[in-house]
C-alpha cells in the first residue's frame, strides 16, 4: 500500500495538476500557438533578407536585339585607382587633423562615425547645395529616425545602437532621410494633411492620406538606394536597416509607413534596376570635392555639415521619362521581357518617340519566341507599327517589321 501511494504521489508531481481533470493542457495550448514562433521570429527575418547577396551588375543575355539607340547615363571612368586612393588618403589626413577631435568627445563618440557616413553621402551625390544638420537623440526605447524642415536629420540612440557596427545600414538610414528632403516630402506631407483637413475626415479620405504617406516612404527608399550606390556602400549590408524595421512591433510601423516586409521587397526590386555606372559617378564627385568641415550647431546637441563654397552641378532626381528608361532598358538587358515591354510601352506614350516602341516590339517578340503565345506576336506587331508611324525612315524599324513578317504563326 505504501509503495502504491508513493508511485501515485510521484506521478501526480510529474504531471500538470489539472491534467487529471481536463483534456486540454498548457502543452496543448503551446502546440496550438507554436506556428506563430515561425511566423514572427526575428532570426528568420534576418537570415532570409540580410544574408542575400545583392548583385547590381548587368550581364546582358545572348542574342539580344539592341541597335544602341538607348543608353543609360555613363560617367568618366578615367580616374585611376591610384589617383582616387591618393585623394582618399589626403582627405583622411584632414578628417584626422580637423574633424575627429571636434566630434569624437567622450560623451558623443558616435557623432564622428555618423558625420563620416553623412559627409560621404553628401559629397558623392553633390548634395552640398545647403547645410545639413544632424543629431543623435537619446531615446533608447524607440527605434526611429526622422527629418524635418531645414535639412535637419535625427537618429535616436536605439536605432544607432542597433546598427552601430554596420556603416552600410546607417548609410541607408541617413540616405533615406536625405531623400525625403531631396524629394520635397516635407512640403508634400503638409499639402496632403491640408487636403485631408478640408474633408470631413471620412475613412476614404484618411485611407487616401495614408497611401500618399506610404508612397513617400517607398520613394525615399528608392532614392536612398541611388545615393547609397554612388557613395560606394554595400547594398547587401545596407539591407540590415530594413531587416531591423521588419522585426519591429506593430506600434513602430503605423499606417503612414509600409510594412518592413514590403519595404524589403521594394528595395530588392530597386536594387535590380541599379545603373552600375553610378559607382563611377560617385567616385568622380568625391574626387572633385573637398572635405566638408563640420561645426557644432547652435543647439549644441547636433552638428552642421556646411554647403560647398563653390557652385557646381547639384543633385537632380530623375524625372519620369528617365526613370522609365532605366527600368525598361535594364529589364531588357537582363532578359526580363515582361517588365521591359510594359515600361517601354509607358515610355512611348509619355514621350511619343519611336525608340521605346521599337524596343517594346523587341521585348514582345522575345516573349513570343519563348512562349509561342500569339498575344505577344500581336503586341510586337502593334508596337512596331506605332514606331513606323512615328519614324518610317529608320532602318531598325523597317528591319524589325520584316523580321516579324517572316515569323510563321
Amino acid at each position: 500500500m505504501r509503495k502504491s501511494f508513493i508511485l501515485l504521489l510521484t506521478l501526480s508531481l510529474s504531471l500538470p495538476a489539472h491534467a487529471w481533470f481536463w483534456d486540454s493542457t498548457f502543452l496543448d495550448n503551446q502546440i496550438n500557438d507554436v506556428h506563430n514562433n515561425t511566423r514572427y521570429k526575428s532570426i528568420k527575418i534576418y537570415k532570409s533578407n540580410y544574408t542575400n547577396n545583392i548583385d547590381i551588375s548587368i550581364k546582358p543575355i545572348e542574342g539580344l536585339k539592341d541597335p544602341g539607340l538607348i543608353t543609360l547615363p555613363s560617367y568618366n571612368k578615367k580616374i585611376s585607382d591610384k589617383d582616387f586612393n591618393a585623394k582618399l588618403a589626403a582627405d583622411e589626413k584632414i578628417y584626422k587633423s580637423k574633424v575627429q577631435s571636434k566630434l569624437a568627445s567622450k560623451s558623443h563618440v558616435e557623432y564622428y562615425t555618423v558625420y563620416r557616413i553623412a559627409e560621404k553621402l553628401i559629397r558623392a551625390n553633390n548634395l552640398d547645395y545647403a547645410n545639413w544638420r544632424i543629431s543623435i537623440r537619446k531615446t533608447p526605447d524607440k527605434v526611429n529616425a526622422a527629418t524635418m524642415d531645414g535639412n535637419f536629420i535625427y537618429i535616436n540612440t536605439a536605432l544607432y545602437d542597433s546598427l552601430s557596427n554596420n556603416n552600410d545600414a546607417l548609410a541607408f538610414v541617413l540616405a533615406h532621410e536625405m531623400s525625403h528632403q531631396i524629394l520635397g516630402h516635407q512640403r508634400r506631407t503638409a499639402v496632403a494633411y491640408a487636403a485631408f483637413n478640408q474633408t470631413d475626415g471620412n475613412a476614404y479620405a484618411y485611407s487616401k492620406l495614408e497611401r500618399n504617406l506610404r508612397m513617400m516612404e517607398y520613394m525615399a527608399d528608392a532614392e536612398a538606394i541611388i545615393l547609397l550606390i554612388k557613395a560606394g556602400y554595400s547594398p547587401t549590408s545596407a539591407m540590415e536597416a530594413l531587416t531591423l524595421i521588419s522585426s519591429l512591433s506593430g506600434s513602430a510601423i503605423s499606417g503612414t509607413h509600409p510594412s518592413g516586409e514590403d519595404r524589403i521587397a521594394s528595395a530588392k526590386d530597386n536594387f535590380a534596376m541599379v545603373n552600375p555606372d553610378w559607382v563611377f559617378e560617385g567616385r568622380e564627385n568625391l574626387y572633385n570635392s573637398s572635405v566638408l568641415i563640420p561645426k557644432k550647431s547652435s543647439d549644441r546637441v547636433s552638428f552642421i555639415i556646411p554647403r560647398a563654397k563653390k557652385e557646381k552641378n547639384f543633385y537632380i532626381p530623375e524625372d519620369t521619362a528617365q526613370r522609365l528608361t532605366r527600368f525598361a532598358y535594364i529589364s531588357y538587358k537582363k532578359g526580363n521581357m515582361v517588365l521591359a515591354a510594359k515600361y517601354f510601352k509607358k515610355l512611348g506614350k509619355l514621350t511619343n518617340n519611336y525608340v521605346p516602341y521599337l524596343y517594346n516590339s523587341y521585348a514582345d517578340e522575345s516573349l513570343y519566341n519563348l512562349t509561342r503565345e500569339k498575344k505577344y506576336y500581336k503586341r510586337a506587331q502593334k508596337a512596331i507599327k506605332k514606331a513606323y508611324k512615328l519614324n518610317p525612315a529608320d532602318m531598325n524599324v523597317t528591319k524589325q517589321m520584316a523580321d516579324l513578317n517572316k515569323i510563321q504563326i
Side-chain angles (χ1 to χ4, degrees):
M1 182 68 180
R2 181 177 179 79
K3 290 183 179 179
S4 299
F5 176 76
I6 294 174
L7 177 60
L8 181 61
L9 179 62
T10 304
L11 287 172
S12 66
L13 291 174
S14 63
L15 292 173
H18 65 292
W20 298 103
F21 308 103
W22 306 104
D23 291 334
S24 177
T25 69
F26 286 121
L27 295 180
D28 293 328
N29 294 336
Q30 187 180 136
I31 291 296
N32 292 335
D33 196 64
V34 74
H35 70 280
N36 284 322
N37 296 349
T38 304
R39 181 180 178 186
Y40 292 106
K41 64 181 181 182
S42 60
I43 294 173
K44 179 181 179 181
I45 295 172
Y46 272 78
K47 184 176 180 180
S48 62
N49 295 309
Y50 176 48
T51 58
N52 289 340
N53 184 50
I54 297 171
D55 183 5
I56 65 171
S57 63
I58 299 176
K59 303 177 182 68
I61 62 172
E62 294 183 6
L64 199 67
K65 287 185 176 181
D66 188 0
L69 298 176
I70 295 178
T71 56
L72 298 175
S74 58
Y75 304 94
N76 181 9
K77 302 179 184 180
K78 296 180 180 178
I79 299 174
S80 68
D81 288 342
K82 180 180 178 181
D83 290 342
F84 183 65
N85 289 332
K87 167 64 172 172
L88 294 182
D91 287 350
E92 196 65 34
K93 291 181 179 179
I94 297 175
Y95 292 132
K96 293 287 179 64
S97 62
K98 296 185 177 182
V99 180
Q100 190 170 21
S101 60
K102 183 184 297 186
L103 293 179
S105 64
K106 185 175 181 180
S107 59
H108 295 100
V109 142
E110 67 272 12
Y111 272 66
Y112 180 66
T113 299
V114 174
Y115 156 77
R116 288 295 301 268
I117 297 170
E119 198 257 2
K120 187 177 182 182
L121 285 166
I122 291 168
R123 287 175 56 198
N125 290 281
N126 287 341
L127 295 176
D128 46 358
Y129 59 89
N131 291 353
W132 291 87
R133 186 160 65 96
I134 301 173
S135 178
I136 299 174
R137 294 185 174 180
K138 293 183 178 180
T139 50
D141 58 338
K142 186 177 180 181
V143 176
N144 195 22
T147 188
M148 302 174 188
D149 285 335
N151 284 8
F152 173 55
I153 295 170
Y154 82 82
I155 302 174
N156 69 13
T157 50
L159 179 58
Y160 174 81
D161 289 344
S162 296
L163 302 175
S164 60
N165 62 341
N166 188 339
N167 286 356
D168 303 290
L170 285 171
F172 182 85
V173 171
L174 287 166
H176 174 92
E177 301 305 335
M178 289 176 177
S179 295
H180 278 309
Q181 293 290 341
I182 295 166
L183 301 176
H185 286 172
Q186 296 298 308
R187 186 173 182 181
R188 181 176 163 184
T189 298
V191 170
Y193 273 108
F196 171 72
N197 290 333
Q198 290 178 357
T199 70
D200 59 1
N202 59 54
Y204 173 77
Y206 186 71
S207 176
K208 184 177 178 181
L209 172 64
E210 284 191 332
R211 286 197 302 271
N212 199 350
L213 297 174
R214 285 196 296 270
M215 195 64 239
M216 282 187 259
E217 294 303 319
Y218 283 126
M219 292 302 293
D221 281 350
E223 205 70 23
I225 287 170
I226 299 175
L227 307 185
L228 192 80
I229 298 299
K230 289 182 182 179
Y233 287 103
S234 164
T236 300
S237 296
M239 286 294 287
E240 186 182 0
L242 290 179
T243 299
L244 174 65
I245 291 170
S246 69
S247 67
L248 298 177
S249 64
S251 61
I253 306 171
S254 67
T256 62
H257 283 63
S259 70
E261 290 80 1
D262 285 346
R263 289 179 67 181
I264 287 171
S266 174
K268 288 180 178 179
D269 284 348
N270 277 284
F271 279 126
M273 297 297 172
V274 163
N275 179 355
D277 270 9
W278 286 340
V279 174
F280 300 104
E281 181 188 10
R283 281 167 61 106
E284 266 195 70
N285 292 337
L286 287 168
Y287 186 82
N288 293 320
S289 62
S290 301
V291 171
L292 300 171
I293 306 297
K295 59 181 181 180
K296 286 188 176 181
S297 176
S298 57
D299 62 13
R300 297 298 177 183
V301 292
S302 60
F303 64 88
I304 297 169
I305 299 179
R307 67 183 182 185
K309 295 180 179 179
K310 296 182 180 180
E311 292 289 331
K312 59 181 177 180
N313 294 325
F314 293 126
Y315 185 91
I316 301 176
E318 292 173 317
D319 60 26
T320 306
Q322 290 170 328
R323 191 155 299 203
L324 272 174
T325 301
R326 174 163 61 89
F327 285 2
Y329 192 53
I330 291 178
S331 297
Y332 184 70
K333 296 279 278 187
K334 289 185 172 183
N336 189 336
M337 297 305 173
V338 173
L339 284 184
K342 178 172 71 173
Y343 291 132
F344 276 130
K345 184 177 180 180
K346 286 178 178 287
L347 183 61
K349 288 181 178 180
L350 179 69
T351 62
N352 201 34
N353 185 286
Y354 81 98
V355 174
Y357 287 109
L358 172 62
Y359 279 83
N360 184 177
S361 182
Y362 290 156
D364 278 324
E365 180 192 10
S366 294
L367 287 170
Y368 171 74
N369 291 334
L370 180 65
T371 67
R372 292 299 170 182
E373 293 186 27
K374 290 183 180 180
K375 65 178 182 180
Y376 294 120
Y377 177 79
K378 291 179 180 179
R379 291 178 188 176
Q381 284 280 21
K382 184 177 180 180
I384 201 60
K385 287 177 181 177
K386 182 67 175 178
Y388 182 79
K389 182 179 179 180
L390 292 169
N391 191 352
D394 185 82
M395 57 184 294
N396 298 298
V397 172
T398 55
K399 183 179 185 305
Q400 176 64 0
M401 292 186 77
D403 288 348
L404 290 176
N405 290 332
K406 292 176 184 177
I407 295 176
Q408 298 294 323
I409 302 296

